[in-house]
Amino acid sequence: MKNKLYLSIIILIVFAFSLILGFVLDGMENMAITSGTPTIIYWISKGIALGLLLIVALYVVFRKQDVGNIYILLYMTLALQLLPFIERLLLRGDSPRIIWSLIVLFIVTVGYLSVIFGLDILNDKIQKVEESLKGKSIPVVDEDLYNDENGNFVSAKKKKVD
């Protein structure tokens, strides 16, 4: 439970930093985006990245997951936070590369969602198989049951089990 709390705190910090960074970079002259379509594309990519970060945070906290899938999911979501920065680099200046930024946005979003949906399907299969892999417990038997009344070893087959 502690690790889910720590994870939530880290995700909230990343969310706040990413949101604040978007506004701070707008104030920098060489990183500013011209108004209009480039600004809309940038804030759509920022919204997708931050929205998926919150969705993944809720998904990891409230759904039973395989640990390996959690790490893949988190690392990919944190890497996705670089998408708005890449979009900003493509859209800044006097000649924004709108087509390239849309292509990057489409490919990254579809690729990310494909991997996430694949991990969800894989997680369901892992959860089903885990139930069958649980070991069976064998009751503890007192060693004195292997001996007869005189304390001599008889055998495990003739033991008296209650």
Side-chain angles (χ1 to χ4, degrees):
M1 190 65 176
K2 260 187 185 180
N3 50 357
K4 289 187 179 184
L5 175 68
Y6 296 153
L7 175 69
S8 300
I9 292 170
I10 290 171
I11 287 176
L12 287 175
I13 290 171
V14 169
F15 182 84
F17 179 75
S18 180
L19 191 60
I20 291 169
L21 189 63
F23 293 111
V24 169
L25 289 177
D26 274 340
M28 295 177 65
E29 188 175 319
N30 60 349
M31 293 300 284
I33 298 174
T34 59
S35 62
T37 305
T39 305
I40 293 170
I41 294 171
Y42 171 75
W43 285 106
I44 285 174
S45 69
K46 179 67 93 173
I48 288 172
L50 292 177
L52 288 173
L53 180 67
L54 289 179
I55 289 169
V56 165
L58 293 172
Y59 181 77
V60 167
V61 170
F62 292 115
R63 188 158 193 268
K64 186 178 179 190
Q65 285 270 57
D66 182 56
V67 176
N69 287 350
I70 288 175
Y71 288 130
I72 294 170
L73 187 65
L74 288 176
Y75 289 139
M76 286 196 56
T77 305
L78 292 175
L80 182 70
Q81 300 307 305
L82 292 174
L83 175 65
F85 185 70
I86 294 168
E87 292 288 320
R88 181 177 286 278
L89 291 176
L90 289 171
L91 295 170
R92 69 187 169 116
D94 294 334
S95 58
R97 295 168 188 87
I98 294 174
I99 299 298
W100 281 109
S101 68
L102 288 174
I103 291 170
V104 168
L105 179 64
F106 177 75
I107 289 173
V108 169
T109 304
V110 169
Y112 175 83
L113 291 175
S114 299
V115 171
I116 297 306
F117 293 151
L119 281 175
D120 189 45
I121 292 169
L122 180 64
N123 184 55
D124 291 342
K125 289 182 179 184
I126 288 172
Q127 296 300 324
K128 285 180 188 175
V129 171
E130 261 185 1
E131 294 298 323
S132 66
L133 294 177
K134 287 186 179 174
K136 297 179 179 129
S137 61
I138 300 172
V140 177
V141 178
D142 188 17
E143 291 178 2
D144 291 335
L145 296 175
Y146 296 128
N147 300 330
D148 62 5
E149 300 83 30
N150 299 329
N152 298 324
F153 178 74
V154 178
S155 77
K157 293 181 182 178
K158 296 181 182 177
K159 63 183 175 184
K160 303 173 267 177
V161 179
D162 295 330

